[in-house]
């Protein structure tokens, strides 16, 4: 530290406190930089993991059997299940719920609805 000719030197006790404050500033700055680096590494790691998971998911195909001459009125997808509302040739309506692998879970007959 250079002194201007008009400045008086600090007392030894004040100089000790100034040095301690300078060391504290340097130490806290180093800790802050390390913490920011750790956070950035964690974010980059998480982004890479998500990208790898998206690449590993494969497209599966399955066949769902629908009665002959049935008309699909509505379909809905929820999680790994699909619901189909069908109109049969005689005007009867049914709801079929399947897993995405094609396995029938439930079949409901709707009566009194045209």
């Amino acid at each position: 530290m250079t002194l201007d000719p008009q400045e008086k030197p600090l007392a030894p006790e004040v100089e000790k406190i100034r040095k301690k404050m300078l060391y504290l500033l340097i130490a806290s700055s180093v800790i802050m930089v390390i913490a920011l680096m750790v956070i950035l590494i964690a974010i980059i790691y998480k982004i890479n993991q998500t990208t790898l998971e998206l690449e590993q998911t494969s497209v599966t195909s399955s066949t769902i059997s629908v009665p002959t001459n049935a008309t699909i009125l509505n379909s809905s997808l929820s999680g790994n299940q699909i619901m189909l509302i069908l109109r049969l040739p005689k005007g009867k309506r049914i709801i079929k719920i399947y897993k995405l692998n094609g396995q029938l879970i439930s079949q409901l007959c709707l009566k009194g609805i045209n």
Side-chain angles (χ1 to χ4, degrees), residues 9-36:
L10 295 173
E13 297 84 17
V14 176
E15 186 65 28
K16 280 184 182 180
I17 292 173
R18 188 189 69 79
K19 283 185 181 180
K20 285 182 182 180
M21 295 291 284
L22 184 62
Y23 292 140
L24 180 63
L25 177 67
I26 292 170
S28 63
S29 297
V30 168
I31 290 171
M32 189 67 74
V33 168
I34 291 172
L36 286 173

Side-chain angles (χ1 to χ4, degrees), residues 5-69:
Q6 299 166 348
E7 286 187 19
K8 294 181 183 178
L10 295 173
E13 297 84 17
V14 176
E15 186 65 28
K16 280 184 182 180
I17 292 173
R18 188 189 69 79
K19 283 185 181 180
K20 285 182 182 180
M21 295 291 284
L22 184 62
Y23 292 140
L24 180 63
L25 177 67
I26 292 170
S28 63
S29 297
V30 168
I31 290 171
M32 189 67 74
V33 168
I34 291 172
L36 286 173
M37 287 173 50
V38 167
I39 291 170
L40 287 174
I41 290 171
I43 290 171
I44 292 169
Y45 175 77
K46 186 66 176 173
I47 289 171
N48 286 338
Q49 286 297 103
T50 305
T51 305
L52 290 176
E53 288 173 5
L54 290 175
E55 290 173 357
Q56 292 173 356
T57 57
S58 62
V59 177
T60 59
S61 64
S62 60
T63 304
I64 296 175
S65 62
V66 176
T68 308
N69 296 329

Side-chain angles (χ1 to χ4, degrees), residues 77-109:
L77 182 65
S78 175
N80 67 344
Q81 297 178 354
I82 186 168
M83 178 186 74
L84 300 175
I85 299 176
L86 305 169
R87 180 185 296 150
L88 299 178
K90 296 178 183 177
K92 188 169 138 183
R93 292 184 185 193
I94 60 172
I95 296 176
K96 289 192 171 195
I97 301 173
Y98 295 91
K99 286 187 177 180
L100 288 182
N101 63 5
Q103 176 189 359
L104 179 65
I105 298 173
S106 176
Q107 178 173 326
L108 306 168
C109 180

